[in-house]
Amino acid sequence: MAEYINTLPYKANLEVYSETLQRLAENDRNIIAVTSDSRGSGKLVPFGKKFPEQIVEVGIAEQNLVGVAAGLASCGKKVFATSPACFLTARSFEQIKNDVAYSNNAVNIVGISAGVSYGALGTTHHSLHDYAALRAINNIIVVAPADNYETQQAIELAAATDKPVYLRFGKKPMPHLKASADEIFEFGKGRIITEGDDVLIVACGETVYPALEAALVLKEENISTTLISMHTIKPLDTDLLAKAATKCKVVVTVEEHSIYGGLGEACAAYLLQNKIYKPFKILAIPDEYTVTGSQQEIFNHYGISKEGISDVVRTLVQHNLGLNN
């Protein structure tokens, strides 16, 4: 594991988001945070204390949040509209579609406590629809950083990007996946975490780490894995996907999202339409009312874990390639 994970202290990606935004705001008064009674859960309390003139609080009014953010962006501000992903991408869908994307206002829409991060609060507080909904909107980039490195890079890049961006963050502390010294982070360009010829695993957000754990388990069984952190769900890195899928024998996608409309279906659609036919499995949350529990308990229940992912890969390999390791 040490080959792939830095020994730096683990932080929640949201903490890195706040720290990065504060650093950028020190030299740029155009950086503005807009929140809907969510500066606490969004880790923006330090930002607000340090830059009280660069934060706007709209209260529990997500549609207003997006409208205000779009207005500020239209005046040249670099806006980060921050709110729980479950509400931000559902209640404010029309405003994201029209005020932000259609109007080409470069708002950074930050969905916090995403996926099943709210755990036992249940389906009302889970955002398992956001990739599907926002992928269907023209003119918006959809990003789910896997770790602290990708988060810092994504925030810096979003602040410099002149088009709408959706950034999705969970709550748990995430390890640092090692990055090479010459690595350049770009939206629409996935990161290769491990390389192998048997299995391709494509994951995003907080599912990348359990996918890495599974890849290392499989390595001990002589099943080699290419693991891609596909941090940008839209636009998808189709060049990397095609190259890796062509090389490997089976493909598995992993995401903290519904099985419908997310990373898995995006990958499947591209591969099928480009005649890259490989045994394929989407590992995500099924079409049902989710079980109640913590994020980790929900992950374990649906197989989004070291054991669950390795079991799925092992079964797929054995059924399709006749391997018994």
Side-chain angles (χ1 to χ4, degrees), residues 128 255 257-262 264-265 282-287:
L128 301 176
E255 60 195 300
H257 187 271
S258 166
I259 56 172
Y260 296 127
E265 287 199 346
I282 296 174
L283 185 49
I285 306 297
D287 186 25

Side-chain angles (χ1 to χ4, degrees), residues 11-317:
K11 293 181 180 180
N13 288 338
L14 272 177
E15 293 181 30
V16 177
Y17 159 55
S18 178
E19 292 168 1
T20 305
L21 207 61
Q22 290 175 62
R23 179 168 49 78
L24 293 173
E26 287 176 354
N27 300 308
D28 190 348
R29 288 182 57 82
N30 284 323
I31 296 286
I32 304 289
V34 186
T35 73
S36 57
D37 194 35
S38 52
R39 70 176 70 189
S41 53
K43 306 299 182 185
L44 290 174
V45 170
F47 182 95
K49 289 180 178 178
K50 197 170 184 179
F51 306 104
E53 295 182 355
Q54 290 171 248
I55 189 166
V56 178
E57 175 60 67
V58 302
I60 303 175
E62 291 82 2
Q63 294 172 333
N64 288 347
L65 177 141
V66 176
V68 168
L72 288 166
S74 73
C75 298
K77 301 301 182 182
K78 301 173 183 177
V79 188
F80 288 79
T82 307
S83 187
C86 55
F87 308 129
L88 182 58
T89 60
R91 292 178 181 168
S92 310
F93 183 79
E94 183 177 3
Q95 286 70 32
I96 294 171
K97 172 189 169 187
N98 294 333
D99 297 348
V100 175
Y102 176 69
S103 302
N104 196 32
N105 285 311
V107 177
N108 299 298
I109 300 162
V110 183
I112 64 174
S113 303
V116 294
S117 293
Y118 276 128
L121 290 178
T123 296
T124 57
H125 283 62
H126 295 166
S127 55
L128 301 176
H129 62 277
D130 47 349
Y131 298 159
L134 299 183
R135 281 182 61 232
I137 295 179
N138 175 50
N139 192 36
I140 189 166
I141 298 168
V142 179
V143 183
D147 65 352
N148 295 174
Y149 165 78
E150 290 185 4
T151 297
Q152 177 184 328
Q153 295 292 311
I155 296 304
E156 291 176 354
L157 188 54
T161 298
D162 60 357
K163 68 180 298 183
V165 180
Y166 173 60
L167 297 146
R168 188 204 218 222
F169 297 117
K171 295 173 67 175
K172 66 187 289 188
M174 299 304 297
H176 299 248
L177 303 176
K178 284 189 176 177
S180 60
D182 59 348
E183 183 172 344
I184 298 175
F185 182 94
E186 297 179 57
F187 293 149
K189 298 294 181 184
R191 299 175 62 209
I192 297 176
I193 309 301
T194 67
E195 292 193 68
D197 296 328
D198 293 324
V199 179
L200 169 61
I201 301 178
V202 185
C204 61
E206 294 189 359
T207 67
V208 174
Y209 182 63
L212 173 59
E213 292 182 305
L216 298 181
V217 168
L218 295 165
K219 183 178 180 181
E220 295 177 356
E221 302 173 15
N222 296 319
I223 299 175
S224 65
T225 301
T226 290
L227 170 61
I228 295 174
S229 173
M230 195 67 82
H231 51 72
T232 308
I233 292 90
K234 180 190 177 187
L236 199 67
D237 189 346
T238 53
D239 290 341
L240 179 59
L241 175 64
K243 182 178 179 181
T246 300
K247 177 181 72 170
C248 294
K249 301 175 181 69
V250 300
V251 179
V252 175
T253 63
V254 190
E255 60 195 300
E256 189 179 359
H257 187 271
S258 166
I259 56 172
Y260 296 127
L263 174 67
E265 287 199 346
C267 292
Y270 178 80
L271 294 175
L272 183 61
Q273 290 181 92
N274 287 274
K275 300 181 180 180
I276 302 173
Y277 305 125
K278 298 295 173 79
F280 190 100
K281 176 69 175 178
I282 296 174
L283 185 49
I285 306 297
D287 186 25
E288 65 183 45
Y289 293 112
T290 52
V291 298
T292 299
S294 68
Q295 181 196 40
Q296 190 58 57
E297 288 169 336
I298 295 170
F299 272 20
N300 291 342
H301 179 83
Y302 292 114
I304 305 175
S305 61
K306 174 176 68 174
E307 296 80 12
I309 297 168
S310 56
D311 283 346
V312 165
V313 169
R314 199 178 291 113
T315 299
L316 198 63
V317 167

